[in-house]
Amino acid sequence: MTSGTTPLGLGVLASGRGSNLQAILEACARPGFPARVVAVVSDRERAQALDRARATGVPARFVNPKDFPDREAYDLALVRELQARGVGLVCLAGFMRILTSGFVRAYAGRILNVHPSLLPAFPGLAAQRQALEYGVKVAGATVHFVDEGVDTGPVVLQSSVPVHPDDTEESLSARILAEEHRLYPDAIRLFAEGKLVIAGRRVVVRAAGRPGAAASEASL
Ligand code: GRF
């Protein structure tokens, strides 16, 4: 949701390594990319994602879940932090918490997540291990809007990778991760250009965006 040359403000929530955050930061540094990371928040003090953000001068904050009485109060604090920084799109990037309905409502239709499977296959934790154990021949990555379920929101982009007979969880994860790093900036760009329309479960990619118009026309 940007108009003119004002970049969309991204808020990235991450709990760990932050390689997707890094891919987003690098995309934002490219000329003409229509978004900027304006806040990174983590629920883990030692998350590498916080270091990556600070290294590029992005405000990064650890918000300790133990400082709050319940999940609702914690998520409210996150929403306040993101709103105070002018975040227009929330990007979950390895954030190991399920958002409360209060958070999802506050940013309805403006939260993306990346998941290391071809959803709806293998939601939840250890998706790559699930794929190997199931014996699928094709795996992949999904960027989707976030609703109140676990990895259940409307799919924005997906990309497939082969599963090789000798794959380990590590080798398959690395192949999928490369796709995540490509897909997530692409999805953010489409959102920022106003080209994504949520129509029920489907996300329609418009050929041309309408600058300044709402990027999504359904509530999540
Ligand atoms: C990625 O595999 C992502 O799909 C999943 O968590 C992992 C985060 O990795 N949701 P990173 O912290 O971005 O490196």
Side-chain angles (χ1 to χ4, degrees), residues 16-21 93-95 113-116 128 177 180-181:
R17 179 178 59 181
S19 71
N20 277 287
L21 167 65
F95 191 57
N113 181 43
V114 65
H115 184 75
Q128 304 94 330
L177 195 61
E180 296 181 35
H181 295 167

